[in-house]
């Protein structure tokens, strides 16, 4: 049985490198994704002090952060759950600048937060030029599955949260995910400020899971929940800020055609999707109507965990039927078009061909559930998920 220490998290080395060049680093990701484990690993090799800002005693220690820093200026200060104390960033600017004048230009603070980069940046604008942002995704196929289809399917069913993925049984894994959902609804989201009934938000989250990968129809969701479309937008903003839901933007560059312009919505972790829908195991997933959307979302999240910085993800769709599941636009304008198929013997739809005619991508891939990479004609390559992830890592 694997444990978390046996899964090498790729981001750990990137955090260490970022701490060597930046005074502060913010490591972001949803709860229970492994941020604290990585921080404690780094603390084993670097003189450090770790504080959990959800702990009242630790929170009290940083009420005067300048005094605390004076006592610990020779250490890396790790502040966990930093979104609980956003006002701390204003004081940190002066501390960091004072250390810079002394020649200490890197490795002073490591922040851990369970909120999106956009949300945290609003609080930490005073640290512009003094902070690097990194996002820790759940365990992905490159870290866990390699070329094993059994491991890949287990990751797909259970998702990438370590406690779920490494549970002793599917039953235990599903129980953990149900508890995860309940904790977010009853404790974490209320602590973020919004006063939303847990039952309403759970219904909303479950609706998104049922419609995994669908184009957002806010008015339909609003009717089902008996709320306004504006309220649906507020719920969606919240779930996106908490890194639980992805809004995949449409490709809107002018190609001389009408385009679908609403985002596609995905519950980011496949295991959470399956928990919301009470799908217990692999066989149950194969027989469920969400199976295609679940696989599509799973592939997209795994690819997004390895895309180089500044690569922009989109989907492409026209009312006439041209469609590309994922378009990656690289700095400089290079484009990759990616079709996602669950079949082990993939075929390419007419919509993908039509979409490629419209946007003229530089590379065309079909991600499928097999193990071999092979050409499919018309410059299209069929490729396993792990192999395409490796290609993206090589672009970094």
């Amino acid at each position: 049985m694997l444990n978390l220490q046996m899964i090498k998290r790729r981001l750990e080395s990137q955090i260490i490198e970022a701490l060597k060049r930046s005074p502060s680093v913010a490591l972001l990701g949803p709860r229970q994704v492994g941020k604290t484990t990585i921080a404690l690993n780094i603390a084993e090799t670097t003189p450090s002090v770790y504080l959990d800002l959800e702990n009242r005693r630790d929170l009290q220690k940083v009420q005067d952060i300048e005094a605390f820093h004076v006592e610990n200026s020779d250490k890396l200060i790790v502040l966990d759950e930093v979104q609980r104390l956003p006002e701390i960033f204003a004081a940190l600017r002066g501390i960091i600048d004072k250390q810079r004048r002394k020649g200490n230009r890197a490795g002073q603070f490591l922040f851990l937060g369970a909120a999106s980069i956009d949300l945290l940046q609003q609080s930490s604008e005073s640290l512009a030029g003094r902070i690097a942002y990194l996002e820790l995704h759940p365990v992905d196929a490159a870290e866990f599955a390699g070329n094993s289809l059994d491991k890949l399917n287990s990751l797909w069913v259970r998702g990438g949260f370590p406690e779920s993925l490494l549970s002793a049984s599917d039953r235990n894994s599903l129980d953990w995910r149900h508890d995860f959902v309940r904790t977010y609804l009853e404790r974490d989201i209320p602590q973020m400020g919004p006063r939303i009934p847990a039952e309403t938000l759970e219904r909303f989250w479950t609706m998104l899971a049922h419609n995994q990968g669908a184009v957002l129809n806010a008015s339909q969701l609003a009717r089902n929940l008996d709320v306004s479309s504006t309220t649906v937008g507020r719920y969606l903003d919240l779930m996106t800020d908490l890194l639980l839901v992805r809004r995949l933007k449409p490709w809107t560059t002018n190609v001389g055609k009408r385009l679908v312009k609403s985002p596609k919505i995905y519950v980011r972790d496949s295991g959470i999707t399956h928990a919301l829908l009470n799908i217990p195991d692999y066989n149950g997933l194969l027989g469920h109507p969400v199976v295609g959307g679940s696989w599509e979302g799973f592939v997209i999240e795994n690819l997004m965990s390895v895309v180089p910085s500044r690569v922009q993800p989109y989907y492409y769709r026209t009312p006439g039927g041209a469609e590309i599941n994922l378009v990656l636009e690289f700095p400089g304008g290079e484009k990759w078009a990616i079709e996602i198929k669950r079949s082990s013997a993939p075929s390419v739809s007419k919509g993908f061909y039509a979409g490629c005619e419209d946007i003229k991508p530089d590379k065309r891939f079909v991600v499928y559930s097999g193990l071999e990479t092979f050409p499919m004609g018309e410059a299209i390559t069929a490729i396993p998920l792990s192999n395409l992830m490796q290609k993206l890592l090589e672009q970094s």
Side-chain angles (χ1 to χ4, degrees):
M1 178 69 184
L2 285 171
N3 60 55
L4 184 55
Q5 295 300 327
M6 297 171 67
I7 300 176
K8 178 65 175 177
R9 300 308 306 272
R10 185 174 51 252
L11 200 66
E12 185 171 327
S13 60
Q14 296 178 37
I15 297 166
I16 293 170
E17 288 303 312
L19 285 168
K20 291 178 180 177
R21 64 176 185 269
S22 177
S24 62
V25 174
L27 175 60
L28 309 177
R31 281 187 170 280
Q32 303 294 320
V33 79
K35 302 186 299 295
T36 303
T37 299
I38 286 180
L40 294 177
N41 286 346
I42 292 171
E44 288 181 358
T45 58
T46 303
S48 306
V49 56
Y50 169 88
L51 298 178
D52 180 357
L53 300 188
E54 285 199 322
N55 181 297
R56 185 175 299 178
R57 291 178 63 185
D58 283 356
L59 184 62
Q60 189 65 34
K61 292 177 183 177
V62 295
Q63 293 305 307
D64 186 346
I65 186 61
E66 293 187 22
F68 183 81
H69 181 267
V70 167
E71 293 299 317
N72 297 278
S73 59
D74 58 340
K75 302 181 181 70
L76 171 67
I77 297 175
V78 182
L79 301 180
D80 205 345
E81 301 294 342
V82 71
Q83 76 277 357
R84 305 289 185 208
L85 196 66
E87 60 270 23
I88 199 172
F89 291 110
L92 291 175
R93 174 176 178 166
I95 294 172
I96 288 173
D97 287 350
K98 185 182 295 184
Q99 289 299 307
R100 277 176 159 179
R101 290 191 290 272
K102 294 179 179 180
N104 302 325
R105 307 188 64 84
Q108 297 175 43
F109 295 95
L110 174 60
F111 309 118
L112 312 181
S116 71
I117 290 174
D118 289 343
L119 191 64
L120 192 61
Q121 280 178 330
Q122 294 169 18
S123 302
S124 60
E125 288 178 355
S126 58
L127 292 186
R130 303 166 181 83
I131 187 168
Y133 296 94
L134 294 169
E135 181 180 341
L136 181 64
H137 293 252
V139 175
D140 62 45
E143 294 171 325
F144 178 74
N147 291 320
S148 168
L149 287 180
D150 287 341
K151 284 187 176 181
L152 184 68
N153 288 334
S154 181
L155 179 64
W156 176 26
V157 171
R158 296 183 174 192
F161 286 95
E163 293 291 338
S164 172
L165 178 61
L166 303 177
S167 288
S169 68
D170 286 339
R171 179 72 260 173
N172 288 350
S173 172
L174 186 61
D175 287 344
W176 184 92
R177 283 174 275 140
H178 280 144
D179 290 342
F180 175 92
V181 169
R182 183 55 50 193
T183 299
Y184 257 98
L185 292 171
E186 296 182 352
R187 193 195 73 164
D188 295 336
I189 290 174
Q191 285 182 355
M192 293 292 287
R195 297 180 179 274
I196 303 171
E199 182 180 350
T200 301
L201 200 56
E202 183 174 21
R203 285 179 60 206
F204 176 70
W205 205 351
T206 303
M207 287 177 188
L208 297 183
H210 274 292
N211 293 283
Q212 182 79 331
V215 175
L216 174 64
N217 186 334
S219 59
Q220 182 64 53
L221 288 169
R223 284 193 296 271
N224 291 340
L225 287 169
D226 196 24
V227 298
S228 68
S229 294
T230 301
T231 299
V232 164
R234 186 162 55 91
Y235 292 174
L236 190 58
D237 287 343
L238 173 64
M239 303 299 277
T240 302
D241 284 339
L242 292 173
L243 303 170
L244 301 171
V245 168
R246 179 178 299 280
R247 277 186 287 216
L248 185 62
K249 297 180 293 186
W251 174 274
T252 55
T253 301
N254 183 21
V255 293
K257 293 188 175 184
R258 290 177 57 223
L259 301 174
V260 175
K261 295 185 178 181
S262 294
K264 290 175 74 172
I265 306 299
Y266 298 89
V267 176
R268 290 183 56 165
D269 182 73
S270 59
I272 300 302
T273 302
H274 304 151
L276 290 165
L277 301 177
N278 284 312
I279 298 172
D281 52 31
Y282 182 65
N283 288 333
L285 175 57
L286 294 182
H288 197 281
V290 82
V291 62
S294 172
W295 174 253
E296 181 180 318
F298 173 71
V299 169
I300 287 173
E301 284 306 310
N302 273 268
L303 295 177
M304 291 307 301
S305 73
V306 295
V307 294
S309 61
R310 295 180 294 280
V311 171
Q312 293 298 313
Y314 305 92
Y315 80 95
Y316 179 82
R317 181 183 290 181
T318 69
E323 182 173 5
I324 301 172
N325 296 136
L326 182 64
V327 178
L328 298 179
E329 185 176 34
F330 292 75
E334 181 179 352
K335 299 183 291 291
W336 291 13
I338 300 168
E339 179 89 333
I340 299 168
K341 297 290 187 181
R342 191 178 60 83
S343 170
S344 59
S347 59
V348 181
S349 66
K350 292 181 180 179
F352 183 73
Y353 287 118
C356 288
E357 282 296 309
D358 291 343
I359 73 168
K360 297 178 172 51
D362 299 276
K363 294 184 180 180
R364 309 175 185 194
F365 296 101
V366 176
V367 178
Y368 77 114
S369 59
L371 294 175
E372 303 295 328
T373 299
F374 58 90
M376 298 183 67
E378 300 195 39
I380 299 171
T381 300
I383 190 167
L385 174 59
S386 59
N387 289 20
L388 185 54
M389 292 175 72
Q390 185 58 43
K391 284 184 177 292
L392 285 166
L393 285 168
E394 291 168 0
Q395 297 290 314
S396 299

